[in-house]
Amino acid sequence: MDCEALVTRWLAKAFNTVLPGCNGGKVVPSKDSRFGDWQCNDAMGLAKRAGKNPREVAQAVIDACPLPELIEKAEVAGPGFINITLSKRAIAASVEALSQDEHLGIPQSGKNEKVVIDYSSPNVAKPMHIGHIRSTVIGNAIDRILRALGYTVIADNHLGDWGTQFGILIMGYRHFLTDDERANLTVELLEKVYVQSYNKTKESEEWLDTCRQELVKLQAGDEENLAIWKRFIEISLKEFGRIYGRLDVSFDLYRGESYYQPMLGPTVDLLKEKGLATQSEGAWIVDMKEEGLEVAIVRKRDGGFNYTTTDIATVRSRTEEFDPARIIYVTDERQQLHFRQFFRICDKLGFCTKTQLQHVWFGLMRLPDATFSTRQGNVIKLETLLDEAAARARAIVDESHPDWSEAEKAALAEAIGIGAIKYADLSHDPTTMIVFTWERALALDGNSGPYLQYANARLNSLLAKYRDQVGKDPMNNAIALTSDTEKALALWLLQYPNAVQRAGDLCKPSVLADYLYQLCQLYSTFYQSSPVLKEGTEPEVRDSRIRLCAAVSTVLRAGLKLLGIPTPERL
Ligand code: ARG
């Protein structure tokens, strides 16, 4: 039983009777519950187009077909809104069905369409810093949401594992590390010697020259340099893997830039063949000034290729291998021009006839206070941020569960800390800049990760208590809506599939985060006014209410999972 589908079908048929061929019937939740549960706003626009009176059209629509049983009342309001009040029985049955459905009502609109998502994609030999958190967290949430919508997702970590920095890095590795450090290599050490070696290129022509030669040797496949480079990657992946593990993020592919190296020459050849690349001062460029885009260099004067060339080759490789309907790139806003440029080039090359390219960009995350500044400068390592989140959450856990074991306390603190950071990111529209504060991220009573985790844990314990005391599985009960707060909560539950669909369509996990926050608020209003297990509650009322709680719990847990937020059993 899907109320929305039934109401939409009734409306569509009625609209079609009144204005044949028109496409009306969409419903949205009512702005004001006094006027109904849902409203349809289509009569206004459609009537205008047909030169008719909107209110008359709206009334004719209502009168066109018999009211389906699930609608208690339908009436015209204002300039031509159709306000619909659903029967409580229909809403209850819909909630029961939704919470038992394997997809929780989420339309499988992806139809197994293939989507590649390129996200996180840090550069090797550098620590992941807080700039990478949004790509990783937002990208992963989009990944999960699209899978839930029935897309076949290929998550690809396009590591920055190739580039001119490796000559400088190899020299730093050879000359500024002790044997011991080389044996116990870390990304931090690599970063340190990179800076040392880089600084030396500024002082010494000779050093700079040797760095260049080492790079050329690497690119030509020199065995020793290749082995060192592989070690950089191995060490970096180990460190990134630790962070991905903590963030519960995983990829289907780890194809770094190096994977596409053999394809770069042929890519530039293709551009030349199609007359898209021209020579300018010794370099090969694609001139798109006429289209208002800047010139893109695809082969440098020294013969080297760059970021744009690699990305073009990547699209070609991905389309040939996977034939995806779409490739989504998740990076910060500063790369917008780059993506516009190479998308346009791919378009000209005919790579985009079957594959849509989409750049999902996000604003930067800023830290307002000095809490994060390290002695080395103001680049905060992601791992440091995660550690601090867990440490701060630990203080909360220590206070609430002094009797728990060390392992239990550590695990819970980690879940709260990671949840707080992820949610602080995901609850904002990706295109906005966020100013991160610990107070807001860890607040137990605001729009925060811990607040949602707390609601989830409380629901768990309420359900457990019911099973214990009453000895029944709440999911087997029926819902009978009696109060307005119950009804409001039930109606909101029915919006879950729409929220997931919209979050996926817009590539904005924040839509789902907003939905879940609102769900918790409605739940809390309901819970305060509607005793469930309190003594004196009628058994039928109790059984119905706990069933509603079970539905909230199911949806909340699933929704948090789609955002990648951990859901500890107890808090
Ligand atoms: N490695 C790049 C960076 O850290 C991000 C790569 C994004 N993906 C891509 N295909 N360009 O800035």
Side-chain angles (χ1 to χ4, degrees):
M1 164 115 182
D2 179 344
C3 277
E4 194 174 322
L6 291 172
V7 171
T8 309
R9 204 178 310 151
W10 168 70
L11 273 173
K13 195 166 157 220
F15 264 106
N16 205 35
T17 312
V18 177
L19 298 171
C22 82
N23 196 2
K26 202 170 129 44
V27 286
V28 292
S30 284
K31 296 251 152 27
D32 186 334
S33 63
R34 280 174 307 176
F35 304 129
D37 302 324
W38 289 345
Q39 65 186 61
C40 172
N41 307 334
D42 292 345
M44 276 94 74
L46 291 171
K48 203 170 157 202
R49 226 174 298 154
K52 300 205 164 157
N53 177 309
R55 280 187 65 97
E56 278 167 26
V57 167
Q59 191 58 54
V61 166
I62 293 172
D63 297 336
C65 307
L67 276 196
E69 214 178 304
L70 79 163
I71 296 181
E72 201 172 273
K73 195 168 70 182
E75 51 193 9
V76 181
F81 299 112
I82 299 173
N83 285 337
I84 292 165
T85 305
L86 299 164
S87 89
K88 286 201 173 99
R89 183 61 222 134
I91 300 170
S94 254
V95 170
E96 288 167 12
L98 178 140
S99 57
Q100 254 149 356
D101 178 57
E102 65 169 315
H103 301 295
L104 296 182
I106 298 169
Q108 296 304 290
S109 51
K111 301 196 168 65
N112 290 323
E113 208 174 80
K114 238 183 236 171
V115 180
V116 175
I117 312 187
D118 172 324
Y119 73 92
S120 194
S121 308
N123 300 324
V124 306
K126 285 188 190 160
M128 269 208 236
H129 55 79
I130 72 156
H132 290 113
I133 194 168
R134 296 205 82 188
S135 177
T136 309
V137 169
I138 295 171
N140 183 248
I142 295 174
D143 174 337
R144 290 165 185 258
I145 290 167
L146 292 186
R147 283 179 212 260
L149 286 164
Y151 288 90
T152 300
V153 175
I154 301 170
D156 189 2
N157 194 346
H158 187 72
L159 297 169
D161 63 356
W162 199 252
T164 46
Q165 74 271 30
F166 286 102
I168 296 172
L169 203 52
I170 287 172
M171 283 295 280
Y173 174 84
R174 284 221 181 94
H175 298 272
F176 302 126
L177 287 178
T178 62
D179 287 344
D180 198 40
E181 285 172 329
R182 266 193 291 271
N184 299 297
L185 198 56
T186 61
V187 171
E188 200 160 357
L189 281 170
L190 284 175
E191 156 120 297
K192 194 185 91 188
V193 296
Y194 174 79
V195 172
Q196 263 178 295
S197 177
Y198 176 80
N199 288 341
K200 201 154 173 191
T201 61
K202 300 278 157 209
E203 295 155 16
S204 153
E205 259 316 303
E206 205 189 319
W207 186 268
L208 178 64
D209 233 38
T210 323
C211 289
R212 284 206 186 111
Q213 284 162 23
E214 293 304 328
L215 177 67
V216 172
K217 268 164 71 185
L218 172 68
Q219 288 171 339
D222 173 83
E223 240 168 70
E224 194 188 331
N225 281 9
L226 219 47
I228 297 176
W229 169 77
K230 281 198 181 129
R231 185 131 162 73
F232 295 163
I233 294 177
E234 180 201 325
I235 297 296
S236 307
L237 283 181
K238 204 165 105 195
E239 217 148 289
F240 298 161
R242 212 162 56 216
I243 292 173
Y244 293 141
R246 290 179 76 177
L247 293 175
D248 191 16
V249 164
S250 59
F251 298 91
D252 301 296
L253 291 175
Y254 273 83
R255 287 213 184 138
E257 295 179 15
S258 64
Y259 176 85
Y260 303 96
Q261 286 315 297
M263 307 170 202
L264 300 185
T267 300
V268 175
D269 291 342
L270 184 68
L271 286 165
K272 291 186 205 166
E273 232 169 79
K274 300 249 172 178
L276 293 171
T278 51
Q279 214 156 14
S280 163
E281 296 171 33
W284 287 92
I285 62 160
V286 179
D287 189 344
M288 294 181 288
K289 279 203 292 272
E290 268 179 17
E291 300 172 54
L293 286 169
E294 269 157 61
V295 163
I297 299 173
V298 289
R299 181 150 210 176
K300 290 182 274 189
R301 237 188 12 208
D302 65 8
F305 303 99
N306 56 19
Y307 194 41
T308 304
T309 330
T310 311
D311 263 327
I312 299 167
T314 306
V315 171
R316 190 186 198 181
S317 162
R318 285 173 179 161
T319 50
E320 280 173 3
E321 186 173 347
F322 305 117
D323 192 22
R326 189 156 43 132
I327 306 176
I328 299 174
Y329 299 82
V330 187
T331 81
D332 76 50
E333 60 190 5
R334 292 169 303 182
Q335 297 199 30
Q336 286 179 84
L337 174 65
H338 164 72
F339 281 98
R340 247 181 279 142
Q341 277 181 324
F342 97 81
F343 283 2
R344 188 72 194 106
I345 297 173
C346 288
D347 199 17
K348 286 169 183 272
L349 284 171
F351 291 173
C352 301
T353 47
K354 279 160 63 202
T355 305
Q356 184 206 343
L357 303 177
Q358 183 183 3
H359 183 209
V360 173
W361 55 268
F362 52 83
L364 298 177
M365 177 146 119
R366 281 241 303 265
L367 310 162
D369 46 66
T371 354
F372 294 105
S373 43
T374 58
R375 258 162 287 140
Q376 300 97 295
N378 50 10
V379 181
I380 315 298
K381 281 176 59 184
L382 184 46
E383 207 159 25
T384 312
L385 184 76
L386 300 186
D387 288 343
E388 176 151 4
R392 284 178 183 253
R394 179 61 193 255
I396 302 174
V397 175
D398 279 341
E399 209 168 292
S400 51
H401 300 289
D403 50 323
W404 280 19
S405 76
E406 174 57 33
E408 281 176 314
K409 284 195 274 195
L412 182 58
E414 175 79 2
I416 295 175
I418 299 287
I421 290 198
K422 282 188 154 188
Y423 190 82
D425 185 339
L426 294 171
S427 55
H428 292 86
D429 184 309
T431 58
T432 55
M433 187 201 82
I434 38 182
V435 180
F436 180 93
T437 66
W438 286 117
E439 291 68 38
R440 233 176 302 143
L442 285 166
L444 288 174
D445 54 357
N447 187 7
S448 71
Y451 171 74
L452 298 188
Q453 289 176 324
Y454 196 57
N456 175 65
R458 273 206 315 215
L459 275 160
N460 283 341
S461 72
L462 185 69
L463 291 165
K465 206 160 146 196
Y466 174 87
R467 276 187 225 105
D468 225 44
Q469 287 181 3
V470 183
K472 290 200 284 192
D473 177 356
M475 286 305 262
N476 293 335
N477 299 348
I479 299 173
L481 300 170
T482 52
S483 68
D484 285 349
T485 50
E486 286 175 355
K487 187 175 155 187
L489 180 59
L491 279 169
W492 191 245
L493 281 169
L494 297 185
Q495 291 304 314
Y496 178 64
N498 286 334
V500 176
Q501 179 77 63
R502 219 150 34 85
D505 289 348
L506 300 171
C507 286
K508 285 182 198 269
S510 54
V511 171
L512 179 56
D514 287 346
Y515 170 84
L516 295 175
Y517 178 51
Q518 175 87 11
L519 178 65
C520 287
Q521 285 187 306
L522 287 169
Y523 172 71
S524 150
T525 309
F526 152 82
Y527 189 75
Q528 275 159 29
S529 64
S530 321
V532 183
L533 290 182
K534 258 213 198 98
E535 225 170 291
T537 310
E538 295 288 332
E540 309 85 76
V541 174
R542 172 200 67 193
D543 288 356
S544 159
R545 283 184 181 157
I546 198 75
R547 176 66 182 84
L548 192 55
C549 293
V552 175
S553 164
T554 305
V555 167
L556 179 58
R557 200 167 346 101
L560 287 171
K561 191 137 207 274
L562 289 188
L563 294 179
I565 310 265
T567 48
E569 268 305 294
R570 298 187 296 164
L571 224 77

